[in-house]
Amino acid sequence: MTKILIVGGVAGGASAAARARRLDEQAEIIIFERGEHISFANCGLPYHIGGDIPQRESLLLQTPQSFKRRFNVEVRTFNEVVSIDRAAKRVTVRNLLSGEQYQESYDKLLLSPGAAPIRPPIPGLENPHTFSLRNIPDMDRILAALDRDQPSHATVVGGGFIGLEMVEALHQRNIKVSLLELSEQVMAPVDREMANMLHQSLVQHGVDLKLNTALTGVSLLDADPAEPEATGEFNRVSAHGGGLRLALSTGHSLDTGMLILAIGVKPETLLASQAGLELGTRGGIKVDEGMRTSDPDIFAVGDAVEEREFVTGEPALIPLAGPANRQGRIAADNMLGRNERYGRTQGTAICKLFDLAVASTGLNEKSLQRLGLPYEKIYVHPGSHAGYYPGAFPVSLKLLFSPTDGKILGAQAVGKDGVDKRIDVLAVAQRAGLTVYDLQELELTYAPPFGSAKDVVNMAGFVASNVLKGDLAICHTEAILNRRTDQLVLDVRNPGELASNGSIEGAINIPLDELRGQLASLPRDKEILVSCQVGLRGHVAYRLLANEGFKVKNLTGGFKTYQMVTARY
Amino acid sequence: MTKILIVGGVAGGASAAARARRLDEQAEIIIFERGEHISFANCGLPYHIGGDIPQRESLLLQTPQSFKRRFNVEVRTFNEVVSIDRAAKRVTVRNLLSGEQYQESYDKLLLSPGAAPIRPPIPGLENPHTFSLRNIPDMDRILAALDRDQPSHATVVGGGFIGLEMVEALHQRNIKVSLLELSEQVMAPVDREMANMLHQSLVQHGVDLKLNTALTGVSLLDADPAEPEATGEFNRVSAHGGGLRLALSTGHSLDTGMLILAIGVKPETLLASQAGLELGTRGGIKVDEGMRTSDPDIFAVGDAVEEREFVTGEPALIPLAGPANRQGRIAADNMLGRNERYGRTQGTAICKLFDLAVASTGLNEKSLQRLGLPYEKIYVHPGSHAGYYPGAFPVSLKLLFSPTDGKILGAQAVGKDGVDKRIDVLAVAQRAGLTVYDLQELELTYAPPFGSAKDVVNMAGFVASNVLKGDLAICHTEAILNRRTDQLVLDVRNPGELASNGSIEGAINIPLDELRGQLASLPRDKEILVSCQVGLRGHVAYRLLANEGFKVKNLTGGFKTYQMVTARY
C-alpha cells in the first residue's frame, strides 16, 4: 500500500489526490493544507468581491468532508508541513489550531504549496487598509473592510491579472480606483501596444491609471472617523475608518481608503529548499518532465515549480491554473508507478477587463527581443464575426512567427468578442507545430453569428504567409515615425476616415479606389510606406504599386495599429 | 497579358478575381454573373428575413462598380456563360437582358457556378407560395410574399442549415412553422442523438416538427382572399392570398400559407459537363489539388466541385463558404503560374438555432459506420466556463477517434455557449493530426468568464485517453437498453437527481459518496454498467469498482447522453 502525502490542497494538490485515488483504491492519501479551505475557486475571488458571483459558497468547490466521502482522501486543514526528513521519508507537521507538532511518514510526497503574493519592502504596509488577494480569508478581509470603511477610493498596485480584475471589481462597487503600475504597461504577457487598448479602457472607465509609478511609502491618514458629523471633516477616501496616504515614486502623494497589493507572486519554496531539494534558476522548485524533484520520491507541481517555456525550453515561472491541474494529474500517475510526462508550457492566458478580453499564448515580442530570437510580426483587426450580422467587434490580433520557417512563436489578441476563441485556436496551432501557412487552411466554424468565411486566424495566416513568400513587404510604426527623406507615407483611406479617425502627419492621401488613376503622381525614386485603417486596403494598394514597379511597403495593421503603438498613457 | 474569365461572382469567384488582381496588375479579368448581384452575403439571407439584419443593403458586399474601382475587374451581371469551346479557348455568353449572345476568349477560365437548390419532382410546386432561398432575388420574393400574404403558418421542407435558419427566421416573425424532414433527424452533419437536442428545442419553441415525413404533393387552397371580411371565412394559414394544401407521406395533409424548399443543393455542372469536363463520382466537377479541371486551362472552385474528405481522402460534396473562398484564392494563384495546393476538407460547420448552436468537424458516426471504419466515441457535457461564474451552460460534446492510435476522426457539439470555440479547437487539432492524448495537454485560455482550468476539450481528451489506455471501459446507451441477464445498471447519482431528471428503468441506485461502504451489496459475478448524470461521477465509481476487482463499465456521457439517444421526436 502506497502512502502519499500532499502539501497544499488547491489546484494541483487536489487534482493529484483525486487522480491518485482513481488509480489506486488502497493507497493512503493525506492532504495537508495550512489554510481553512481546499480546492476553492481562487480564480473567482475578484468576481465575488465585484458582485458577479453573488454566493460566497459557490467558491468552495470541495470541503474536507466531501473530499473524504468521494475520494477517501484525508484532508487536514490548518495543518502545515514544516519540514521534510528525506532520509527517513517523514514530514513534521504543525497543527496550527493546537500548536502541536507531529510526524507523518510517506512513500511519495507531493509538494503543491503554490505561490505567495510578493510583498514589497515598503514602509508602512502593515496597516488595517492594506490587502492582498490569494485565498478565501484574504477575500473575506477585503469584503469586511469594504463594509466597515465604505471607502470611496481604492488603490491597486500592479496591473497583472489579479490587479486588473480587482480594479474592475472595485469599479463595479462604485469605488473610484487608482491603479499603480511600475512598468510602462499593464498585463505583462502582452506587448505594450496591445496593453494600450487596456489603458484606454481603464481611462475611459474613470480609472486613475498611473503607469511608470511605484509605491514608495504608506502612512495612516489623520482622521477622526468616530465623529465626522461633529467635525464636518468627512474623510475624502472612506466614509468610515480613515485611510492611507501613499507616497509615489513620482513625488506625488495619493490618499486612498484601501490598498490592494497585486504585484505578483513568488513560488513557495521554503519547505523544499530547507529539505535540500534543488531549486531552478528562476527561483522555483526544479522538476523533471515527470514532475519529480531532485529527490525521486518527492514530486512538485503548480505555481511553486519551474516549467519549461514552450518555444525555448528554458525554465520559466508560469503560475496558471490549467498547467497546475494537469501537472497534479501527471504527478499522481508517476507517484503510482506510471511514466507520464508534462511537456512545455505556452502560458496561454486570458483576462477580462470591463467589456474587453485580452489573451495571449507563447512568447511576446519583448521576450523574443530579450532572447535575441529572430521573429516577424503582423497585425490584423478583423471582425469577430460577419460584419453584416449585428454584434461584431474587431479582434485586434498580433501574430509573432519565425521569419525562416513560419512556425508560430506567439499570439496576442484584444477585443470585445471572440478573443478567447482565436487565442485558443492559435494555442493549438502553436502546440501542434503548425506554421503561418497552415493557418490559411484552417477550417473553422462559420455562420454569420459566429465567424467569417475567412476567419480572423485565416486572415492572420494570409498576411503572414504573404510576408514570408515575398508577396508583401511590411513595415511597422517605428519605420513610419522614423522615416527617411527617401520614404513617404501614402494613406489610402477615404478623406472622411482621416478626419474622423485621425491620420499620420505628413502622409499623402489617395483613396485606394482612385490610386490606379493617380500612379503618375507618385515618385518612383522614393519608397512608399502605405497605410490604411487596418492593413487590408493597404495590401491591395501595395500589390498594385509593387506590380507597377514602385518601391513600397505596407504598414501592417494600418492606422489602427499605429494608434496602438503611439498612444501614451 | 493573361486573360482570365470567371463564371460566377459570389464566394469563390469573387475571391479569385480579387486575388488574381493582387498578383497581376496587367491581367484582364472578367466575371460573368447571370444574376444581378456579385459577392453578396448569401449566408446572411435568412437573418434578414428574420429581422436580425435590418438593412438589406448590408448584404450587398460589393457591386460591379465597387469591384471595378477597387480591383479593375470587369463584372458583367445578367450575363450567363452558356457554352465553352475548349479547343478555341472561348466561351459563348448570353446577355440575359438583351438576349444577345457573344463570345469571349480566355487564357484561363474559372468555373465558380455554385450549387442550385434541389427541387424535388413533386406535383404542384409551381405556385406563388413556394420558394427556395439561395440569392437576393429569392430573398426578395419571400419578403414580398410575407408582406403580401401575411401568412400565419409556413412550412419548411428540409432540416439542414438553411432549413433551420428559415424556421428560426419565420418563428421570429411570429409565424407558426411546420418543419418537414425526410430522415429521422435534422442537421445531417451531426448524429441523431446530437440532433435530438435540436429537435427538443424546435418543439419547445412551438415548431411543428415532422421527422420521417416527405412532402408528396402540393395543391392551391380554395380561398377567397379578396373578401374575407365579407365571407367571414378568414383563411387559417394566411391573412391574404390563400395558401397551399400539402400532401405528406404520412397520409396526412397540412395547410400552409408559405412553402420553403430547403432540401439541399446540387452542384451546377451543366456548363462543365457540356464542355466535356470530367465530373466526379459524387456528381461535382472533378478537380485536382490545384483546383484544375480535366482541362489544364480551366479551373473550378466552390459548391460545384468535389473536394476530398479529410479522413478518407474520398471525393465529397461539401458546399461551404470557407472552402470556396480558399479554393478561389488558390485557383487564382495557379491560373497565374503558381503551384498552390488545396488540401482535404473537414467540413467544419456551425448553425445557430434559437439559443443553441450546433457544430461539427470531420466525420460523424453515421459516416464512419457506412465506411466501415473502426472508431470509438465518448461524450462529455462540461460547462462552457467555470460553473461558479454566471452564464455557464453545458457543452455537449461527442468525440470520435481511432481506437488504435487515438487520431481524431470527428467531433460534434451542441449547447448555448462556447460551442463554436470547442469545435474550432478540435478542427485545428484534427487538421494537425493530433490525438486524443494531445487533447489532454492543450493549453487553452482560462479565466472564469471564458473557460475552465480543465476545458471541455481537455476533459474529452482525458476520457478518450483513459479509454485507450485501458483505464476506463465504457459502454453506450445501446448496451444499457439491451443488457444481458449477467449485467446490471448501477446509477450513482443522488436520489433527488433521479426524481427530477428521470432514471434508467431497473437500475440500482447507490449515490457515489456511499458506494465505498456498500461494495458488499454488489454482485461479483455480474458486469456492472455504471451511470451518473454526465459520466464524471460514473468514472470515479468505475475506478473504485475496477480497483476492487468488479467487472464494470461506465456509460459515457451518463444519463444525459442516454436521454439524448433514447429521445423520440
Side-chain angles (χ1 to χ4, degrees), chain A residues 282-296:
Chain A
R282 309 299 299 270
I285 302 172
K286 191 170 178 177
V287 291
D288 67 10
E289 290 186 315
M291 306 315 297
R292 217 172 258 102
T293 68
S294 52
D295 180 325

Side-chain angles (χ1 to χ4, degrees), chain A residues 129-461:
Chain A
H129 306 297
T130 298
F131 306 91
S132 54
L133 179 61
R134 191 72 187 160
N135 54 36
I136 300 268
D138 290 341
M139 178 186 78
D140 290 342
R141 277 190 285 271
I142 291 172
L143 286 170
L146 288 169
D147 252 15
R148 181 191 68 206
D149 299 343
Q150 301 280 319
S152 58
H153 181 275
T155 301
V156 174
V157 184
F161 295 96
I162 295 173
L164 291 181
E165 287 165 359
M166 277 307 300
V167 166
E168 183 172 350
L170 294 165
H171 179 268
Q172 283 192 194
R173 296 180 69 115
N174 292 314
I175 296 168
K176 169 83 180 164
V177 186
S178 293
L179 173 58
L180 311 185
E181 167 58 50
L182 187 62
S183 79
E184 60 175 0
Q185 66 163 95
V186 302
M187 194 47 54
V190 301
D191 293 309
R192 196 184 58 85
E193 75 280 17
M194 306 301 284
N196 267 342
M197 296 186 72
L198 307 179
H199 300 155
Q200 181 182 39
S201 176
L202 287 163
V203 171
Q204 282 172 349
H205 283 82
V207 174
D208 170 36
L209 174 65
K210 295 185 190 298
L211 298 174
N212 303 302
T213 303
L215 177 66
T216 56
V218 179
S219 56
L220 277 171
L221 267 184
D222 259 351
D224 188 351
E227 285 194 286
E229 293 83 358
T231 61
E233 288 292 314
F234 288 87
N235 192 300
R236 288 191 294 118
V237 293
S238 71
H240 308 285
L244 302 172
R245 177 153 295 173
L246 309 182
L248 309 183
S249 58
T250 55
H252 295 89
S253 75
L254 175 67
D255 290 354
T256 196
M258 171 176 270
L259 179 62
I260 307 280
L261 298 177
I263 296 166
V265 296
K266 58 173 189 297
E268 292 263 21
T269 55
L270 189 65
L271 184 65
S273 63
Q274 285 179 344
L277 296 176
E278 202 175 331
L279 300 190
T281 52
R282 309 299 299 270
I285 302 172
K286 191 170 178 177
V287 291
D288 67 10
E289 290 186 315
M291 306 315 297
R292 217 172 258 102
T293 68
S294 52
D295 180 325
D297 291 319
I298 304 181
F299 294 72
V301 299
D303 295 0
V305 308
E306 287 188 1
E307 293 156 288
R308 286 168 308 126
E309 191 282 318
F310 189 81
V311 173
T312 61
E314 293 298 311
L317 296 171
I318 305 174
L320 290 169
N325 278 287
R326 283 190 290 283
Q327 290 163 9
R329 197 180 149 93
I330 287 168
D333 283 0
N334 294 340
M335 287 193 291
L336 289 164
R338 296 194 175 199
N339 184 22
E340 295 287 332
R341 285 153 186 272
Y342 180 80
R344 298 181 177 189
T345 302
Q346 295 165 283
T348 310
I350 189 165
C351 185
K352 174 185 174 313
L353 179 67
F354 302 116
D355 53 354
L356 288 179
V358 54
S360 65
T361 192
L363 289 179
N364 57 32
E365 187 176 2
K366 294 174 289 191
S367 303
L368 289 164
Q369 287 180 339
R370 195 173 55 238
L371 293 161
L373 292 175
Y375 68 91
E376 184 53 282
K377 61 177 173 180
I378 60 103
Y379 300 86
V380 294
H381 307 274
S384 55
H385 60 245
Y388 55 81
Y389 189 89
F393 293 98
V395 177
S396 290
L397 178 72
K398 177 179 186 175
L399 181 65
L400 295 149
F401 54 97
S402 159
T404 49
D405 61 10
K407 279 266 177 77
I408 298 161
L409 299 173
Q412 306 165 31
V414 183
K416 294 185 179 181
D417 181 42
V419 164
D420 53 341
K421 178 162 80 169
R422 272 57 182 226
I423 293 298
D424 280 358
V425 162
L426 286 164
V428 180
Q430 179 180 32
R431 184 160 281 269
L434 299 190
T435 67
V436 297
Y437 302 112
D438 298 315
L439 298 184
Q440 304 178 97
E441 309 295 323
L442 295 183
E443 262 187 78
L444 304 170
T445 54
Y446 162 56
F450 302 102
S452 297
K454 295 171 187 165
D455 186 77
V456 179
V457 177
N458 298 134
M459 294 298 292

Side-chain angles (χ1 to χ4, degrees), chain A residues 47-67:
Chain A
Y47 298 102
H48 180 53
I49 294 173
D52 289 316
I53 300 174
Q55 299 299 322
R56 177 177 181 278
E57 304 83 65
S58 57
L59 299 174
L60 304 170
L61 307 180
Q62 292 278 0
T63 65
Q65 295 72 34
S66 71
F67 221 70

Side-chain angles (χ1 to χ4, degrees), chain B residues 483-506:
Chain B
R483 59 188 183 272
R484 305 183 307 262
T485 52
D486 63 342
Q487 294 176 313
L488 64 87
V489 178
L490 170 65
D491 191 325
V492 297
R493 293 177 297 169
N494 297 321
E497 296 176 83
L498 278 73
S500 61
N501 296 337
S503 61
I504 297 167
E505 209 184 305

Side-chain angles (χ1 to χ4, degrees), chain B residues 166-459:
Chain B
M166 276 308 299
V167 166
E168 183 171 351
L170 294 164
H171 179 269
Q172 284 192 197
R173 297 181 69 116
N174 293 314
I175 296 169
K176 170 83 179 164
V177 185
S178 292
L179 173 59
L180 311 185
E181 167 58 51
L182 187 62
S183 79
E184 59 176 359
Q185 65 162 94
V186 302
M187 192 49 54
V190 301
D191 292 310
R192 195 185 58 84
E193 75 279 18
M194 306 300 284
N196 266 341
M197 297 186 72
L198 307 180
H199 300 155
Q200 182 181 40
S201 176
L202 287 163
V203 170
Q204 282 172 347
H205 283 82
V207 174
D208 171 36
L209 175 65
K210 294 184 189 300
L211 298 172
N212 302 301
T213 303
L215 177 66
T216 55
V218 179
S219 55
L220 278 171
L221 268 183
D222 259 351
D224 187 352
E227 287 195 283
E229 293 83 356
T231 62
E233 287 291 314
F234 287 88
N235 193 301
R236 289 188 296 118
V237 292
S238 71
H240 308 285
L244 303 172
R245 177 153 292 170
L246 309 181
L248 308 182
S249 59
T250 56
H252 296 88
S253 74
L254 176 66
D255 291 353
T256 196
M258 172 177 269
L259 179 61
I260 307 278
L261 298 178
I263 296 167
V265 295
K266 58 173 190 297
E268 292 261 21
T269 56
L270 189 65
L271 183 64
S273 63
Q274 284 180 344
L277 296 176
E278 203 175 331
L279 300 189
T281 52
R282 310 298 300 270
I285 301 171
K286 191 170 179 178
V287 290
D288 66 12
E289 289 185 315
M291 307 314 296
R292 216 173 258 103
T293 67
S294 52
D295 181 326
D297 291 318
I298 305 181
F299 294 72
V301 298
D303 295 0
V305 308
E306 286 188 0
E307 294 156 286
R308 286 168 310 125
E309 191 282 318
F310 188 81
V311 173
T312 61
E314 293 297 311
L317 296 171
I318 304 174
L320 291 168
N325 278 288
R326 284 189 290 283
Q327 291 163 9
R329 198 178 148 94
I330 287 169
D333 283 359
N334 294 339
M335 286 193 292
L336 289 164
R338 297 194 173 200
N339 185 21
E340 296 287 332
R341 284 152 186 275
Y342 179 81
R344 297 182 177 189
T345 301
Q346 295 166 284
T348 309
I350 190 165
C351 185
K352 172 184 176 314
L353 179 66
F354 303 117
D355 52 355
L356 289 179
V358 54
S360 65
T361 192
L363 289 178
N364 56 32
E365 189 176 2
K366 293 173 292 190
S367 302
L368 289 163
Q369 288 180 337
R370 196 174 54 237
L371 292 162
L373 293 176
Y375 68 91
E376 184 53 280
K377 62 176 173 181
I378 60 102
Y379 300 85
V380 294
H381 306 275
S384 54
H385 60 246
Y388 54 80
Y389 189 90
F393 293 97
V395 177
S396 290
L397 177 72
K398 177 178 186 176
L399 181 66
L400 295 149
F401 53 98
S402 160
T404 50
D405 61 10
K407 278 267 176 76
I408 299 161
L409 300 173
Q412 305 165 30
V414 183
K416 293 184 181 182
D417 182 42
V419 164
D420 53 340
K421 179 162 78 169
R422 274 57 183 224
I423 292 299
D424 279 357
V425 162
L426 287 164
V428 180
Q430 178 179 34
R431 182 160 284 267
L434 299 189
T435 67
V436 297
Y437 302 112
D438 298 316
L439 298 185
Q440 304 177 99
E441 308 296 322
L442 295 183
E443 263 187 78
L444 304 170
T445 54
Y446 163 56
F450 303 101
S452 298
K454 295 171 187 164
D455 185 78
V456 179
V457 176
N458 298 133
M459 294 297 292

